[in-house]
Amino acid sequence: MSIRAARRARIIACAAVLGSLPALVGTPAAAHDRAVGLDFLGERELPDAMAFQGTTVGGLSAIGYDARADTYYLISDDRSQTGPARFYTAHIDLGEDGLTGVELTGTHPWLRPDGTAFPPTSTATSTVAPDPEGIAVDPRDGTLAWSSEGERIVPSDGPALLGDPWVRRATTTGGYLGQLPLPPQLHTNAQEFGPRRNQTIEGVTFTPDGRRIVTAMEDPLYQDGDDPTPEHGALSRLTVHDTRTGQPSAQYAYPLEPLFATPPAGSTDTNGVSDIVALDRDRFLVLERASIYSDNDWKARIYLVDLHGATDVLGRDSLTDPAARPVRPVRKTLVSDLSDVPGLPRVDNVEGITLGPRLPDGRRTVVLVSDDNFAARQVTQFIAFALRDRP
């Protein structure tokens, strides 16, 4: 069986297990598909609980790069608990000798429209702090886009505490510049419709021309089926926004892999998208990250994803409605399983991916960052590759 046929068979098998997925249409190769590969350049780690400019460094969940300023932006998923919801700037040494150093250069809090920092979440005051997860640099002017997963706390004996996920625009010092409208299916509900808690907008990227912002849902909406398990994958969503208007212009189904191992009984371990970076208008590198958290066992895989030929599902309430037209998910090809990279000392909770500067030989670099969850048993690591991308 060919790799493509095997992939199609796996997706259809997933549909059978879930029981409610519609028929999935196979995806033809895009006319401009290219061979993509990654060559390992090195890894560096930051000290545990590193103090920097009055903050504790940790929870680094995404990374973006401003080529004009040679500056990296790192978002922390601290929900204003150890410090204000914030991001960092950094310089990373990359060259012929590989990845040789990482230096933080600044930090800024994210600001609300009134110019104040975010307080922590409080059920007593119905305050919802952001859950920062994605960050990207607008290639046209260097401003930022960042995502929050929102909140969904639905107790059995009291009112729900709900906060929508968002994608906001910001200055390079965290000032509020606006917020993108969401498709209605991505709004948080007390009922089991819309996104699950902590499984919403995880990744954000600009296309190289700056005309499109693309976001990635970590896992399925309630109405799109169950989370991935060792027995089956699932469908999440990629949403395309027009940068000029901010409006969503298209949306596509993304096929998630099954969980890589059997978790302990009662755990919530699953697999999901943790970040996305655009190679061009329609091709992306997508980072899937999974864990067996109790064992501190992590899996991170990078896929080449192509939107060509995929079904536009914008406005569609459910991807699993058997009465609806068939869904053609995005085309997806494994580029690297980090567990198989020679010389990489460990794979932690890798959550962020971006394109870095070009090497002297012309290849772009790809830089990853891990989220240590502010836990001593984990690490904040930076991993670099050289990208092979040829016609």
Side-chain angles (χ1 to χ4, degrees):
M1 180 183 290
S2 70
I3 293 175
R4 188 182 307 158
R7 183 168 62 249
R8 181 182 180 189
R10 186 169 65 250
I11 292 172
I12 293 174
C14 165
V17 171
L18 291 177
S20 60
L21 282 177
L24 297 177
V25 181
T27 56
H32 72 308
D33 194 20
R34 299 172 181 176
V36 169
L38 294 172
D39 299 320
F40 181 56
L41 295 177
E43 183 255 17
R44 289 290 184 272
E45 298 177 6
L46 297 183
D48 178 49
M50 175 180 171
F52 180 77
Q53 294 186 2
T55 72
T56 299
V57 178
L60 303 185
S61 294
I63 183 169
Y65 179 65
D66 185 345
R68 295 177 302 177
D70 190 26
T71 297
Y72 291 85
Y73 290 86
L74 301 155
I75 197 168
S76 172
D77 67 2
D78 185 355
R79 304 193 66 172
S80 295
Q81 294 176 317
T82 70
R86 62 194 177 278
F87 64 96
Y88 297 89
T89 54
H91 176 75
I92 299 177
D93 292 320
L94 276 170
E96 293 179 336
D97 296 328
L99 172 58
T100 57
V102 177
E103 178 188 7
L104 298 184
T105 57
T107 184
H108 298 279
W110 296 114
L111 300 179
R112 297 183 288 182
D114 65 2
T116 60
F118 290 93
T121 293
S122 170
T123 54
T125 61
S126 298
T127 300
V128 176
D131 183 2
E133 292 291 349
I135 193 167
V137 179
D138 190 328
R140 301 169 303 172
D141 60 13
T143 58
L144 306 176
W146 67 286
S147 66
S148 165
E149 289 199 280
E151 184 57 280
R152 184 181 186 273
I153 300 174
V154 185
S156 59
D157 57 352
L161 182 63
L162 304 176
D164 277 341
W166 70 49
V167 177
R168 287 189 170 180
R169 303 299 308 273
T171 69
T172 56
T173 55
Y176 177 82
L177 292 178
Q179 183 168 321
L180 275 60
L182 286 180
Q185 295 78 16
L186 271 57
H187 289 282
T188 303
N189 291 274
Q191 297 75 32
E192 292 192 349
F193 184 91
R196 293 172 167 87
R197 186 174 191 260
N198 200 35
Q199 296 184 6
T200 72
I201 301 174
E202 187 83 7
V204 58
T205 186
F206 287 87
T207 53
D209 61 8
R211 294 182 179 180
R212 309 212 292 178
I213 299 174
V214 181
T215 65
M217 289 286 294
E218 183 175 6
D219 281 297
L221 303 176
Y222 276 109
Q223 64 270 26
D224 288 341
D226 295 333
D227 283 340
T229 72
E231 290 73 35
H232 64 74
L235 294 177
S236 63
R237 303 192 187 207
L238 305 179
T239 305
V240 179
H241 291 256
D242 179 272
T243 307
R244 182 179 59 83
T245 65
Q247 294 292 332
S249 58
Q251 192 177 77
Y252 303 97
Y254 178 87
L256 289 162
E257 297 300 304
L259 184 60
F260 66 94
T262 301
S267 81
T268 58
D269 294 317
T270 189
N271 178 49
V273 172
S274 62
D275 208 356
I276 182 173
V277 64
L279 297 180
D280 53 42
R281 187 180 185 276
D282 293 298
R283 294 186 313 136
F284 304 84
L285 294 179
V286 171
L287 177 61
E288 288 188 36
R289 180 279 327 270
S291 73
I292 305 299
Y293 187 73
S294 59
D295 296 333
N296 199 29
D297 188 8
W298 302 92
K299 172 76 75 173
R301 290 165 287 195
I302 300 170
Y303 293 89
L304 174 66
V305 170
D306 196 320
L307 304 185
H308 280 84
T311 304
D312 185 352
V313 296
L314 185 64
R316 184 164 171 165
D317 282 343
S318 172
L319 303 179
T320 62
D321 182 357
R325 60 191 176 94
V327 173
R328 188 193 302 273
V330 298
R331 176 176 165 80
K332 171 185 171 185
T333 305
L334 179 66
V335 176
S336 178
D337 184 329
L338 268 61
S339 300
D340 299 330
V341 174
L344 182 60
R346 71 169 95 186
V347 177
D348 206 273
N349 180 25
V350 181
E351 286 205 8
I353 185 170
T354 193
L355 295 179
R358 291 191 180 276
L359 296 172
D361 63 11
R363 290 178 297 169
R364 288 294 299 269
T365 51
V366 174
V367 183
L368 312 176
V369 69
S370 72
D371 172 0
D372 69 350
N373 289 309
F374 293 93
R377 69 175 185 169
Q378 294 181 240
V379 295
T380 297
Q381 64 179 164
F382 293 81
I383 305 168
F385 295 90
L387 175 67
R388 289 179 276 111
D389 186 11
R390 60 184 183 272

